[in-house]
Amino acid sequence: MIARRAPGGVPVVLSGVRRALGNARVLDNVSLEVRSGETFCIIGSNGAGKSTLLAIVAGTRRADAGNATVFGCDPAGSLAKRRRGVQFEQATFPYYAKVRELVWLFAGIHGI
């Protein structure tokens, strides 16, 4: 993930984020800030919550508790989606999708 400039200078802010999957608490009271221009990495063993944390920042999952903002907005909201870029581990497209359809899809996502 590349951090870009946010209105307050802090593109990604997590405070007290919690997430459980079933009975397992995956994230417990995670707080962090990623400031504009910073490079960071998340290190941990399998099942430590790294992918869950990034999914919350990407807006594809919600935190059960706490607060997450991207560019001062809800990570799942259209304003954050227009300003951030995320490359997931596995990106797949339907085998039948045409290039024109994929361009249309991504243009719609980014409001172009």
Side-chain angles (χ1 to χ4, degrees):
M1 176 184 345
I2 298 173
R4 298 184 192 164
R5 188 167 310 280
V10 184
V12 178
V13 178
L14 303 175
S15 64
V17 170
R18 294 176 192 222
R19 174 73 184 191
L21 299 175
N23 291 330
R25 190 173 280 181
V26 178
L27 299 174
D28 187 14
N29 199 27
V30 175
S31 297
L32 65 88
E33 291 183 352
V34 180
R35 296 187 178 277
S36 185
E38 285 184 330
T39 301
F40 74 100
C41 67
I42 301 171
I43 300 172
S45 59
N46 290 343
K50 302 177 300 291
S51 295
T52 301
L53 179 71
L54 291 177
I56 290 170
V57 171
T60 58
R61 287 200 180 137
R62 294 257 183 213
D64 295 333
N67 189 37
T69 60
V70 175
F71 301 112
C73 306
D74 175 9
S78 61
L79 290 175
K81 286 180 183 179
R82 287 185 191 138
R83 297 189 63 198
R84 77 161 169 255
V86 177
Q87 175 61 53
F88 293 101
E89 290 178 75
Q90 297 176 337
T92 58
F93 303 106
Y95 70 90
Y96 53 82
K98 296 179 179 152
V99 172
R100 180 182 315 144
E101 294 167 336
L102 296 174
V103 170
W104 174 83
L105 171 68
F106 283 92
I109 290 170
H110 295 286
I112 299 172

